[in-house]
Amino acid sequence: QVQLQQEPGPGLVKPSQTLSVTCTVSGGSIRSGSWYWSWIRQRPGKGLEWIGYIYSSGTASYNPSLKTRVSISADTTKNQFSLRLTSVTAADTAMYFCARENRDSGIIWFDPWGQGTLVTVSS
Amino acid sequence: QSVLTQPPSVSAAPGEKVTISCSGSSSNVENHFVSWYQQLPGTAPRLLIYEDNKRTSGIPERFSASKSATSATLVISGLQTGDEADYYCGTWDYSLSVVVFGGGTKLTVL
């Protein structure tokens, strides 16, 4: 059974700096199959926002609203994938979740999810 | 403002039934499969329903979903206090080229 464990994050990031969060996958390889490995965030008291994914081939795709600041990468030796968000502002304060995404035949769903990493942007 | 519209809150008594709507458009709900997620307080979301109406493993039959045109619906019957959570719908939006979610509905079991 695949499980996603998010590494303890920075917690607090200063404005204009870079946010980095990592997710470790167990019970399956991020290199195999047709799974996509995604990041989703939830601002305080708000709904969910899809950030982007990295595919098992290494191809990544991002939410157009964040595209200029975001990158998702994978470390296959550690079976991890990571999110980097540059030039952060207070609006990037959120709980960041990693999730396995299914896109088979255009059918999209997310399961399972990581436990979440809270990142606060403040000076 | 979310692309998919959900009621902010719904409530019902234990044992009753509640419906949660998810309203979209032809660029999302009408032409793409919808999934539903349950987020218990202080936890990560959990997949309940995928492909409009398929329950994921371990989800009881009390949870069901359907879709018609630009609107999807989640139905929870035989409500239990443990069902108190936020519920989100999600799907692909081809005009925005992004996965979109509803704003979430807070379920209170009175």
Side-chain angles (χ1 to χ4, degrees):
Chain A
Q1 182 178 357
V2 172
Q3 293 184 316
L4 278 61
Q5 179 71 32
Q6 295 181 228
E7 304 300 314
L12 184 66
V13 179
K14 290 183 175 4
S16 80
Q17 293 191 341
T18 296
L19 172 165
S20 294
V21 193
T22 296
C23 184
T24 300
V25 178
S26 61
S29 172
I30 62 172
R31 291 180 297 178
S32 65
S34 57
W35 298 107
Y36 296 72
W37 305 95
S38 299
W39 288 97
I40 295 160
R41 71 180 181 181
Q42 185 172 36
R43 295 190 180 104
K46 301 296 184 183
L48 304 169
E49 179 181 23
W50 179 77
I51 298 171
Y53 67 70
I54 187 164
Y55 185 50
S56 54
S57 66
T59 302
S61 180
Y62 306 117
N63 187 322
S65 70
L66 297 168
K67 192 172 184 177
T68 60
R69 299 193 293 127
V70 67
S71 66
I72 298 175
S73 60
D75 183 339
T76 56
T77 63
K78 296 181 180 178
N79 218 32
Q80 294 177 332
F81 63 105
S82 299
L83 167 71
R84 276 175 49 94
L85 186 64
T86 63
S87 304
V88 298
T89 69
D92 295 310
T93 293
M95 183 73 81
Y96 288 79
F97 295 101
C98 59
R100 186 182 65 173
E101 179 178 344
N102 177 81
R103 281 183 175 243
D104 187 30
S105 302
I107 301 169
I108 294 175
W109 44 264
F110 299 89
D111 181 62
W113 296 59
Q115 80 275 23
T117 299
L118 181 62
V119 179
T120 301
V121 179
S122 175
S123 56
Chain B
Q1 193 78 350
S2 300
V3 173
L4 305 181
T5 301
Q6 296 181 235
S9 64
V10 296
S11 62
E16 293 187 339
K17 181 174 74 174
V18 69
T19 62
I20 298 173
S21 61
C22 172
S23 179
S25 68
S26 59
S27 66
N28 44 63
V29 171
E30 185 167 31
N31 289 293
H32 293 276
F33 288 106
V34 174
S35 53
W36 288 91
Y37 304 86
Q38 176 193 60
Q39 186 175 31
L40 296 169
T43 70
R46 158 173 90 141
L47 177 68
L48 292 177
I49 302 284
Y50 63 101
E51 283 186 53
D52 291 345
N53 55 21
K54 294 181 170 61
R55 280 184 304 277
T56 195
S57 176
I59 301 303
E61 293 182 6
R62 302 187 297 106
F63 292 85
S64 63
S66 61
K67 190 176 78 174
S68 178
T70 60
S71 185
T73 302
L74 175 69
V75 178
I76 310 171
S77 58
L79 276 171
Q80 301 175 0
T81 55
D83 296 332
E84 285 203 335
D86 293 325
Y87 292 84
Y88 294 91
C89 57
T91 188
W92 177 255
D93 188 297
Y94 66 75
S95 67
L96 298 174
S97 295
V98 69
V99 176
V100 292
F101 293 96
T105 300
K106 183 177 182 60
L107 168 63
T108 300
V109 181
L110 301 168

